[in-house]
Amino acid sequence: MTRPPDRQREHQANERTFLAWLRTSITLIGFGLAIARFGLFLRQLRVAITDQEVPSNPVFNSENLGISLVIFGIVLIALAAWRYNQVLWQIERGDYRPNRLIIWVITGITIVLGALSIPLLLQQEPPPSPSMPKKP
């Protein structure tokens, strides 16, 4: 028994939507890793150049923002798989209903994480004080 063509198109559209969410999740994870590692690299570079430890905020720093993006990306993958399966069964039963709440929650979380990155970009470190020459 073959399915009507439009139902097949609905399932294919559901798969494309799932793959778009998956790409978005992988991008968030990649950005999270890059932000966390680049912040660590900059701090180590500054220590190597100035020979002084640079204080950082224990809560609001690039490592925590990067970890938050990675966690959000992982949660988004799980949510996308759950939503894909939910839509699959709604298509099969013929009672598909879009869920805008998920879209608004994900949009809100992304806006908050993006807004948290702005102060990190604008944050100015004090100029390093000249270090004393090391004694042999």
Side-chain angles (χ1 to χ4, degrees):
M1 179 175 182
T2 61
R3 292 187 184 137
D6 33 299
R7 196 138 137 223
Q8 180 180 355
R9 282 197 308 250
E10 289 173 359
H11 283 293
Q12 289 171 336
N14 188 29
E15 286 181 28
R16 285 191 301 272
T17 302
F18 171 72
L19 292 174
W21 282 106
L22 190 62
R23 284 189 301 272
T24 303
S25 302
I26 291 169
T27 302
L28 284 170
I29 291 170
F31 278 145
L33 289 170
I35 289 171
R37 292 298 144 204
F38 191 66
L40 181 63
F41 168 74
L42 288 178
R43 199 165 347 116
Q44 288 176 342
L45 182 65
R46 183 161 298 180
V47 168
I49 292 172
T50 64
D51 213 18
Q52 295 176 354
E53 184 67 30
V54 178
S56 68
N57 188 327
V59 176
F60 190 68
N61 56 44
S62 60
E63 288 83 18
N64 288 343
L65 179 62
I67 290 170
S68 298
L69 285 170
V70 169
I71 290 170
F72 182 51
I74 292 168
V75 169
L76 195 59
I77 290 172
L79 184 62
W82 172 78
R83 181 67 182 151
Y84 168 79
N85 195 44
Q86 185 182 28
V87 169
L88 181 132
W89 288 112
Q90 287 177 353
I91 291 170
E92 286 297 314
R93 288 191 311 264
D95 67 344
Y96 171 73
R97 294 190 183 131
N99 186 349
R100 293 184 356 200
L101 176 65
I102 293 172
I103 302 301
W104 284 109
V105 168
I106 290 170
T107 301
I109 292 171
T110 305
I111 288 171
V112 167
L113 290 173
L116 287 175
S117 67
I118 293 172
L120 289 174
L121 292 172
L122 299 176
Q123 181 179 5
Q124 296 289 327
E125 297 290 335
S129 61
S131 60
M132 299 293 290
K134 293 183 181 179
K135 294 182 181 180

